Amino acid sequence: MLLLEAARCGQRAVLLEQRDFGAGTSFNSLRIIHGGLRYLQSIDLPRFFESVAERRWFLKAFPDLVRPLPCIMPIYNRGIRRMPLLRSALWVNDLLSAKRNTGVSQACCLPDGRMLSPHETQALFPAVRMTGLSGAACWYDAHMPDSQRVIMGTLRWACALGAQAFNYVAVERVIKRGGAIAGVEAIDQETGQKYEFRAETVINATGPSARAFAARSDKDVPGLFRPSLAWNVLFDCPAPSEYALALTPDRPGAHTYFLHPWKGRLLAGTGHQPWGRGLDEPAPDDAQMERFVADLNDVLPQAGLHAGNVVRVYSGFLPVEQAGGTKLSDRSVMHDHGRNGGPQGLYSVSGVKFTMARKEAERTMNCIVKERRLGKMPPLDPQSRPLPNNPVASVDYEWMPPDSDSSWKKHLAALIKEESVIHLDDLVLRRTSIGDNPRRARRLATQIADVFDWDEQRREQELSRLLQQLT
């Protein structure tokens, strides 16, 4: 999003990505674009209005990739989750988000929320626990089934506006001259070739590595990103409802889980634990997974979930307010190193949620534009987004190519050429949704590898690399 916002300012913007595009926490999200309903509970109205506006932006900018998501929360009249309170919350949510559909296509408009009777709740969620059920709250958010295509769509948009993006290029150090930024030195991870990129402004937006990058480029900024582990789990079983479900185990202080009916399968999240180890391999341990699955079986006993029907664990890092804690940060952080005794032109930023990524990028660029007196930023017109038509990029969970039709391989070859595909897993996992179904990805892996112009040794290396990531 920073690349897109920089490009719309007319800047000669370059993205240097150490790994593949969107390979970290962005790829491992729950695929939800959240509105502001959750912020009404804490009466955080600024955050509420921003979330509603950003959800609307995604629905306007990506109507082909971001869609309405109906959600329900069964109510058992415990604590603050009571029918009258939730009815009032939905009414206030709709009132304060009255412009949520402005400029949005009809197919992407979000209806008003409503309260459901026990009978209506059971009709939409047959496995709901009926004992003590008073009804349910129903509201609408948005989701992006193919989040990798949203990321690639953003990059294509930025590049259409004049930006450049390089994956597998790691920044080794920033170049300083006379107390100001002059560029960066970087290395191509594939070839070992070193490059120098000249620039007066460098933005450190490296997620969990932001603090370490800031420390070696200037000085430590402890508040940049205090990592905690977050994960979502895809199960090889049908979703219990076509609606997303917010369910809480029946015990004091229990965590609420969100069950996303992702492509007809159950994608559940989000598990969350403190993290005190390195940043290389984020993953819950066996005990954490056992507790996660036990909680889901508590709220959904008919599913009989177990380790054997786990398809994939999507793990990443989210920032928390205190190191070793679990309370997620509510606000992004932007540190202007030049204003704090460091090199002029160096900025470090860390965000919180996918939903707010564009807004945080806009804030960052507004600050830089003001600092450099570049004038007022022009609006970003969603109509300027290029719309690639590649039928293999987004497919449903059960899709398989016809045996008699090889045209799907030509579509893959186009993606390889257009979207900087370096490795087999780039194509399978982060350019297409073929890898959403690991069983399908394994079955098609050798055919997909044939599309690349690799010798036998490279081909076997790439197949092994893909299978490792699918496991």
Side-chain angles (χ1 to χ4, degrees):
M1 288 298 179
L2 269 169
L3 188 70
L4 178 60
E5 288 296 315
R8 80 171 169 112
C9 295
Q11 302 302 294
R12 295 178 63 191
V14 176
L15 170 67
L16 302 179
E17 187 72 64
Q18 178 173 289
R19 297 166 62 195
D20 191 27
F21 303 122
T25 303
S26 298
F27 175 74
N28 293 295
S29 76
L30 197 55
R31 278 75 172 163
I32 307 295
I33 300 293
H34 288 290
L37 180 60
R38 64 179 61 193
Y39 299 114
L40 289 180
Q41 182 176 336
S42 57
I43 320 180
D44 189 348
L45 293 183
R47 191 69 166 173
F48 172 87
F49 288 121
E50 285 182 347
S51 297
V52 171
E54 290 310 297
R55 182 183 60 191
R56 180 175 67 238
W57 184 87
F58 275 100
L59 288 166
K60 288 172 61 177
F62 296 95
D64 52 326
L65 297 171
V66 179
R67 291 287 178 168
L69 177 68
C71 311
I72 58 177
M73 175 189 289
I75 305 300
Y76 295 92
N77 285 337
R78 291 194 294 265
I80 63 171
R81 294 182 180 178
R82 297 177 180 274
M83 294 291 281
L85 289 176
L86 269 297
R87 182 178 288 109
S88 298
L90 293 184
W91 180 81
V92 172
N93 180 58
D94 292 335
L95 177 67
L96 296 181
S97 63
K99 296 182 179 181
R100 65 187 179 276
N101 293 323
T102 302
V104 176
S105 67
Q106 186 64 36
C108 291
C109 285
L110 305 181
D112 287 345
R114 61 194 179 100
M115 301 304 292
L116 306 176
S117 69
H119 177 74
E120 290 173 314
T121 304
Q122 188 179 41
L124 295 173
F125 174 26
V128 66
R129 181 167 55 83
M130 294 298 291
T131 304
L133 180 68
S134 299
C138 174
W139 71 97
Y140 290 80
D141 253 326
H143 69 138
M144 42 181 182
D146 298 308
S147 59
Q148 61 271 57
R149 292 312 306 169
V150 174
I151 292 170
M152 293 311 302
T154 302
L155 288 174
R156 293 181 73 118
W157 192 354
C159 291
L161 295 176
Q164 292 180 293
F166 299 92
N167 52 346
Y168 297 103
V169 176
V171 173
E172 293 196 315
R173 72 178 187 94
V174 297
I175 303 170
K176 309 171 195 174
R177 293 195 180 98
I181 288 295
V184 299
E185 284 185 358
I187 184 169
D188 186 319
Q189 305 276 59
E190 300 300 308
T191 65
Q193 179 71 39
K194 291 191 176 183
Y195 297 93
E196 181 178 309
F197 293 84
R198 299 177 183 177
E200 297 178 357
T201 301
V202 170
I203 304 174
N204 163 29
T206 54
S209 301
R211 181 177 173 183
F213 187 94
R216 73 173 188 263
S217 302
D218 175 28
K219 61 183 177 183
D220 188 23
V221 183
L224 260 181
F225 199 107
R226 301 180 180 94
S228 66
L229 177 67
W231 71 91
N232 304 295
V233 180
L234 177 64
F235 292 92
D236 189 17
C237 64
S241 172
E242 293 182 358
Y243 283 49
L245 306 171
L247 304 178
T248 308
D250 188 13
R251 67 170 187 274
H255 173 75
T256 297
Y257 293 90
F258 202 73
L259 277 56
H260 184 184
W262 184 59
K263 300 190 176 186
R265 290 299 188 276
L266 172 59
L267 178 60
T270 296
H272 190 209
Q273 290 289 332
W275 185 261
R277 304 197 293 276
L279 301 178
D280 292 334
E281 295 293 337
D285 59 31
D286 290 344
Q288 290 167 339
M289 278 296 295
E290 287 175 6
R291 288 193 295 271
F292 184 90
V293 173
D295 276 353
L296 293 181
N297 280 323
D298 183 90
V299 297
L300 203 65
Q302 296 90 336
L305 301 175
H306 54 85
N309 54 22
V310 170
V311 175
R312 189 180 182 97
V313 180
Y314 296 95
S315 304
F317 295 113
L318 292 177
V320 288
E321 291 185 353
Q322 299 293 331
T326 57
K327 181 173 174 50
L328 292 177
S329 298
D330 288 332
R331 296 290 189 274
S332 63
V333 176
M334 192 192 85
H335 183 82
D336 183 342
H337 291 262
R339 285 184 174 270
N340 290 274
Q344 297 291 326
L346 177 61
Y347 301 83
S348 291
V349 298
S350 64
V352 179
K353 298 181 184 298
F354 201 113
T355 306
M356 296 303 297
R358 193 213 63 86
K359 186 64 177 179
E360 307 302 355
E362 181 185 60
R363 282 199 186 99
T364 301
M365 289 309 305
N366 271 329
C367 176
I368 295 172
V369 165
K370 182 178 179 181
E371 189 81 15
R372 297 181 60 188
R373 294 181 171 85
L374 296 175
K376 188 176 181 180
M377 289 176 66
L380 181 59
D381 180 11
Q383 298 300 318
S384 67
R385 177 194 154 214
L387 294 172
N389 179 23
N390 193 311
V392 179
S394 299
V395 295
D396 63 36
Y397 196 82
E398 300 295 349
W399 175 87
M400 285 292 291
D403 292 335
S404 59
D405 184 6
S406 62
S407 63
W408 64 284
K409 294 184 180 180
K410 296 179 181 179
H411 294 302
L412 293 181
L415 288 175
I416 294 170
K417 181 179 179 180
E418 296 171 7
E419 296 186 349
S420 189
V421 175
I422 307 298
H423 294 286
L424 182 59
D425 55 283
D426 298 342
L427 181 62
V428 173
L429 299 176
R430 292 176 295 276
R431 301 299 184 278
T432 71
S433 55
I434 292 174
D436 291 347
N437 184 337
R439 186 181 297 110
R440 171 180 59 200
R442 293 187 186 96
R443 180 175 171 182
L444 296 178
T446 56
Q447 295 184 63
I448 298 173
D450 290 339
V451 180
F452 293 83
D453 185 21
W454 288 329
D455 60 30
E456 189 61 28
Q457 181 181 5
R458 173 72 185 274
R459 184 175 182 275
E460 291 304 313
Q461 290 174 344
E462 293 292 338
L463 285 168
S464 176
R465 175 185 165 116
L466 173 63
L467 293 178
Q468 183 180 10
Q469 293 200 35
L470 289 171
T471 301

